[in-house]
Amino acid sequence: MTRAHIFNPGPAAMPLPVLKEVQQEFLDYKGTGMSIVEISHRSPEYQEMQAETEQDIKDLLKIPDGYHVLFMQGGGSMQFILHAQNFLIHRGAYINTGSWATKAEAAASFYGETYELASSKDDNFSYIPEIPASGTWVLKPDTDYVHITVNNTIHGTEWWQFPHFDVPLFADMSSDFLSRPVDVSNFDLIYAGIQKNVGPAGCVVVIIKDELLRRARTDIAPYLQYKTFVEKDSTYNTPPVFNIYFLGKVAKWLKNLGGLDAMYEINKEKAGLIYSVIDESDGFYKGHARPGSRSLMNITFNMATPELEADFAAEAAKQNLIGVKGHRSVGGCRVSTYNAVTMDDCKVLAKFMRDYQHAHASRS
Amino acid sequence: MTRAHIFNPGPAAMPLPVLKEVQQEFLDYKGTGMSIVEISHRSPEYQEMQAETEQDIKDLLKIPDGYHVLFMQGGGSMQFILHAQNFLIHRGAYINTGSWATKAEAAASFYGETYELASSKDDNFSYIPEIPASGTWVLKPDTDYVHITVNNTIHGTEWWQFPHFDVPLFADMSSDFLSRPVDVSNFDLIYAGIQKNVGPAGCVVVIIKDELLRRARTDIAPYLQYKTFVEKDSTYNTPPVFNIYFLGKVAKWLKNLGGLDAMYEINKEKAGLIYSVIDESDGFYKGHARPGSRSLMNITFNMATPELEADFAAEAAKQNLIGVKGHRSVGGCRVSTYNAVTMDDCKVLAKFMRDYQHAHASRS
């Protein structure tokens, strides 16, 4: 087998050592004579595994006391609903940085009043709105929380400086979760589908401040309450055992690598290889995101024509470079350089991009 | 490695040939150079796999035209909410056959009026209420649907004859899904968490009648609408790829076995081995479910004292017989004989039970 260079936007590349470990122990989890998919979520083996995964996430993100780490289902889409169901009493403020941010507000609007606090829609979401000189944005009265989307997978932008508010700050970190250090104390609610950087689709990690929980509505069905997941230790019903188990392995892999500081340095270098090609291409590759807002996870660019972009993607695929086509809703090209994409993958892609440019620029 | 005899209530035993196949191709899905957990849900490989899984489920259950098969997240607990959110307009009728049935109605009651149409609570849910001589129960006016729980994991009962109503019939089939043939045309909505008989926790299969969809509310968030899953072919957001993939393998395994008729025969024989021990034990093992309501999936029984039951479970574990303890909410003993539990597993357990009885009955 030749392993592909995987630049998929999610589900995405996973660390090869983790894949091998999962494969190796798939028929017998820790000498139980059972596969990890067969063990009960009420067994000591499961409970220990979940607790360890939780602790490893706390260690990696240096989560202070007063927060809970939860494992839920339904992806970011379900969190778009739950954050509002639990905490939208008067009005929620949303900063609109792209398709997912738009969807978050749209889903929340079923549960109460929402408003757009800032937006980068005017320039096709190519940037993260600048924090006002005063230090932050002015909120409407009785705003319950502010919601931001930290990494914008489709448009390729990422927040590099976080605003502060007098009200709770909620963040969708689905696509850059555990890719860099983040000061969790700046947030009251963080959620992240694991299928980009840290595991197989089917689990969402939620980090929630205990203080925030006191404001939560309790007149909704128990399964929809974050409180229930805190009280039942994420096992109110059967959790997605395999997905959490795999996430736990990735967390260990990150720790062994040196933690999030180390991962961040690697991710900067990886993305830098591709951004350099774009910047040095004399406009052959036109980066979509403004330099100060560039994502280290999703690198978006356009070429002269959609036909050229299609040819580029097809030629890349022939070289075993997978997943470089842009999102179906915006077109162009996108390469995702999540945690498990290797430096070598990025070098091969960078070389391919340069070669492709030379071959095509000389023709024109 | 010695493989355990797995009688877990869910997550539960999976077919060993499927586990081996998953393990074998875990690093390279169909020559893509990617693990199944790395492929995009927008890729042709995924789409083909999902479509095939859907078709195999249709084939196995002989689902007539006019139904859709969906893959969702959140387990039965989320379906307790969704069926009501989508279809509870005036009032919903519930037949209460145990803990999960009770939870289904409790969750639904957040969305409108519900009522108990029948119940077996009077005898600790040891039976399935008998269909009245008139042929069915009389409903209150404007009842939108009737909801039943087909197999009751905790109490060990199962419906063997289904009532007919003039209104849609909804069924939670989580714990006997694909364990026997079922006439799907009798139902309008079927849902089943896959973690008992057919896959790793983290996916729910929903079978929904197109006609029913026309009654669905459209004023709720799109992610909560069954309609959205139909229109977006279960990929409105990222589905739990690995869990669906594994389910697909189990569906193929069932087909190769001879389909649900064959599986049903095997399941009857397996459960029969254990029920025989109970029935021939002179009351040493006291079956909880009444004979006509006995589940083929979960066999529940009590012994003289909780201490004896605890000793029994501990001795069983020493013989590598895993998961024979009763549910924490009701105590006693429970062995689950889902699809992937082998005839040999059941023979070993039956022998252990007889030996245990002889050793202990002679002492007393």
Side-chain angles (χ1 to χ4, degrees):
Chain A
M1 152 209 146
T2 309
R3 184 156 164 83
H5 303 289
I6 308 169
F7 299 96
N8 279 339
M14 290 291 134
L16 189 56
V18 169
L19 290 169
K20 286 182 174 170
E21 219 178 293
V22 171
Q23 179 184 46
Q24 195 266 319
E25 68 185 28
F26 195 65
L27 295 187
D28 186 13
Y29 180 69
K30 292 196 168 179
T32 55
M34 297 184 267
S35 170
I36 181 68
V37 301
E38 301 177 305
I39 69 165
S40 167
H41 60 299
R42 307 286 174 203
S43 66
E45 290 84 7
Y46 175 79
Q47 308 260 334
E48 193 186 297
M49 181 276 282
Q50 185 190 297
E52 221 174 292
T53 303
E54 207 179 301
Q55 190 56 51
D56 285 341
I57 291 171
K58 284 183 176 168
D59 293 348
L60 283 166
L61 278 168
K62 301 187 172 68
I63 301 179
D65 286 347
Y67 284 82
H68 271 90
V69 174
L70 311 175
F71 304 103
M72 301 180 76
Q73 293 184 64
S77 296
M78 192 63 202
Q79 295 300 317
F80 297 166
I81 290 167
L82 292 184
H83 81 274
Q85 274 197 308
N86 279 263
F87 301 112
L88 179 47
I89 313 287
H90 304 100
R91 52 179 64 93
Y94 291 78
I95 299 183
N96 189 1
T97 50
S99 310
W100 294 110
T102 305
K103 281 193 183 182
E105 183 179 352
S109 70
F110 282 87
Y111 303 96
E113 188 190 323
T114 64
Y115 66 98
E116 202 175 82
L117 187 61
S119 169
S120 53
K121 201 177 179 180
D122 60 346
D123 193 29
N124 195 16
F125 300 117
S126 62
Y127 66 99
I128 300 293
E130 208 176 327
I131 298 175
S134 65
T136 191
W137 285 275
V138 178
L139 303 175
K140 288 190 187 180
D142 297 323
T143 293
D144 295 307
Y145 57 80
V146 177
H147 180 283
I148 64 171
T149 309
V150 175
N151 184 74
N152 298 279
T153 331
I154 295 176
H155 296 93
T157 61
E158 193 169 3
W159 286 76
W160 291 109
Q161 210 188 339
F162 295 112
H164 297 268
F165 297 97
D166 292 336
V167 304
L169 180 57
F170 295 178
D172 175 359
M173 291 194 187
S174 290
S175 51
D176 65 355
F177 187 60
L178 300 187
S179 73
R180 56 163 164 153
V182 163
D183 180 2
V184 171
S185 72
N186 193 31
F187 301 90
D188 298 76
L189 176 74
I190 291 170
Y191 60 88
I194 68 171
Q195 74 274 11
K196 311 290 188 177
N197 279 296
V198 288
C203 179
V204 184
V205 176
V206 173
I207 302 169
I208 192 164
K209 201 170 183 173
D210 297 344
E211 224 176 277
L212 177 69
L213 276 174
R214 282 183 223 128
R215 304 184 180 207
R217 290 179 66 150
T218 52
D219 58 348
I220 55 176
Y223 186 65
L224 302 177
Q225 296 184 35
Y226 290 111
K227 231 180 183 24
T228 304
F229 280 77
V230 168
E231 283 164 8
K232 299 288 184 184
D233 205 11
S234 299
T235 49
Y236 173 76
N237 70 343
T238 317
V241 174
F242 177 80
N243 312 64
I244 296 170
Y245 152 82
F246 194 113
L247 163 63
K249 296 247 179 237
V250 175
K252 290 255 187 273
W253 174 79
L254 282 167
K255 277 183 134 176
N256 290 337
L257 208 75
L260 299 188
D261 288 318
M263 188 74 253
Y264 182 36
E265 291 307 314
I266 296 170
N267 282 336
K268 276 193 282 194
E269 200 178 331
K270 277 156 47 187
L273 290 169
I274 314 298
Y275 280 122
S276 294
V277 175
I278 292 173
D279 292 340
E280 293 161 12
S281 74
D282 289 326
F284 184 78
Y285 301 111
K286 288 179 286 289
H288 177 70
R290 294 187 194 169
S293 297
R294 280 175 168 176
S295 166
L296 290 187
M297 301 284 105
N298 313 98
I299 301 167
T300 50
F301 55 92
N302 287 82
M303 298 168 69
T305 65
E307 291 71 30
L308 191 62
E309 287 163 352
D311 180 73
F312 173 82
E315 287 301 314
K318 283 185 199 161
Q319 307 290 321
N320 217 7
L321 297 156
I322 305 299
V324 307
K325 219 168 75 178
H327 188 269
R328 66 210 187 301
S329 70
V330 296
C333 298
R334 170 177 58 176
V335 304
S336 299
T337 51
Y338 297 124
N339 284 354
V341 174
T342 65
M343 194 69 74
D344 179 59
D345 291 331
C346 293
K347 283 181 184 162
V348 173
L349 176 62
K351 183 177 182 316
F352 169 78
M353 286 175 71
R354 286 193 213 276
D355 290 349
Y356 188 88
Q357 182 189 346
H358 292 153
H360 289 75
S362 59
R363 263 190 233 163
S364 58
Chain B
M1 152 208 145
T2 308
R3 185 156 164 83
H5 303 289
I6 308 169
F7 298 96
N8 280 338
M14 290 292 133
L16 189 56
V18 169
L19 290 169
K20 285 183 174 169
E21 219 178 293
V22 170
Q23 179 183 47
Q24 193 267 319
E25 68 186 28
F26 194 66
L27 295 187
D28 186 14
Y29 180 69
K30 292 196 169 179
T32 55
M34 296 183 267
S35 170
I36 182 67
V37 301
E38 301 177 304
I39 69 164
S40 167
H41 59 299
R42 307 287 174 202
S43 67
E45 290 84 7
Y46 176 79
Q47 308 260 335
E48 194 186 295
M49 180 276 281
Q50 186 190 295
E52 222 174 291
T53 303
E54 206 178 301
Q55 190 56 51
D56 285 340
I57 291 171
K58 285 183 176 169
D59 293 348
L60 283 166
L61 278 168
K62 300 187 173 67
I63 301 179
D65 287 345
Y67 284 83
H68 271 90
V69 175
L70 311 175
F71 304 103
M72 301 179 76
Q73 293 184 63
S77 296
M78 191 63 203
Q79 295 299 317
F80 297 166
I81 290 167
L82 291 185
H83 81 273
Q85 274 197 307
N86 278 262
F87 302 113
L88 180 46
I89 313 287
H90 306 99
R91 52 179 63 91
Y94 291 78
I95 299 184
N96 190 1
T97 50
S99 310
W100 294 110
T102 305
K103 282 193 184 183
E105 184 179 352
S109 71
F110 282 88
Y111 303 97
E113 189 190 324
T114 64
Y115 66 97
E116 203 175 81
L117 186 61
S119 169
S120 53
K121 201 176 178 178
D122 61 347
D123 193 29
N124 196 15
F125 300 118
S126 63
Y127 66 99
I128 299 293
E130 208 176 327
I131 299 175
S134 65
T136 191
W137 286 275
V138 178
L139 303 175
K140 289 192 186 177
D142 296 324
T143 294
D144 295 307
Y145 57 80
V146 178
H147 180 282
I148 64 171
T149 309
V150 175
N151 183 75
N152 299 278
T153 331
I154 295 176
H155 296 93
T157 63
E158 193 169 4
W159 286 76
W160 291 110
Q161 210 188 339
F162 295 111
H164 297 268
F165 297 97
D166 292 336
V167 304
L169 181 57
F170 295 177
D172 176 358
M173 292 195 187
S174 290
S175 51
D176 66 355
F177 188 60
L178 300 186
S179 73
R180 55 164 165 152
V182 162
D183 180 3
V184 171
S185 72
N186 193 30
F187 301 90
D188 299 76
L189 176 73
I190 291 170
Y191 60 86
I194 67 172
Q195 74 275 12
K196 310 289 188 180
N197 279 295
V198 288
C203 179
V204 184
V205 176
V206 172
I207 302 170
I208 191 164
K209 202 172 183 174
D210 297 344
E211 225 176 278
L212 177 69
L213 276 174
R214 281 184 224 125
R215 303 183 181 208
R217 290 180 65 152
T218 53
D219 58 348
I220 55 176
Y223 186 65
L224 303 176
Q225 296 184 33
Y226 290 111
K227 231 182 183 25
T228 303
F229 280 76
V230 168
E231 284 165 6
K232 299 289 185 183
D233 203 13
S234 299
T235 48
Y236 173 76
N237 69 343
T238 316
V241 173
F242 177 80
N243 312 63
I244 296 170
Y245 151 83
F246 193 113
L247 162 64
K249 296 249 178 237
V250 175
K252 291 254 185 275
W253 174 79
L254 282 167
K255 277 183 133 177
N256 289 338
L257 209 75
L260 299 188
D261 288 319
M263 189 73 254
Y264 182 37
E265 290 309 314
I266 295 169
N267 283 334
K268 275 193 283 193
E269 201 179 330
K270 278 157 45 187
L273 291 169
I274 313 299
Y275 280 123
S276 295
V277 176
I278 292 172
D279 292 341
E280 293 160 13
S281 74
D282 288 325
F284 184 80
Y285 301 111
K286 289 178 285 291
H288 176 70
R290 295 187 194 168
S293 297
R294 280 176 168 177
S295 166
L296 290 187
M297 302 284 104
N298 314 98
I299 302 165
T300 50
F301 55 93
N302 287 83
M303 298 168 69
T305 64
E307 290 71 31
L308 191 61
E309 289 163 351
D311 181 73
F312 172 82
E315 288 301 313
K318 282 185 200 160
Q319 307 290 320
N320 217 7
L321 296 156
I322 306 298
V324 307
K325 218 168 74 179
H327 189 269
R328 66 208 187 304
S329 69
V330 296
C333 298
R334 171 177 58 175
V335 304
S336 300
T337 51
Y338 297 125
N339 285 353
V341 175
T342 65
M343 193 69 73
D344 179 60
D345 291 330
C346 293
K347 283 181 184 162
V348 173
L349 175 63
K351 183 178 181 314
F352 169 78
M353 286 175 71
R354 287 193 211 276
D355 290 349
Y356 188 87
Q357 183 189 346
H358 292 152
H360 289 74
S362 59
R363 262 189 236 164
S364 58

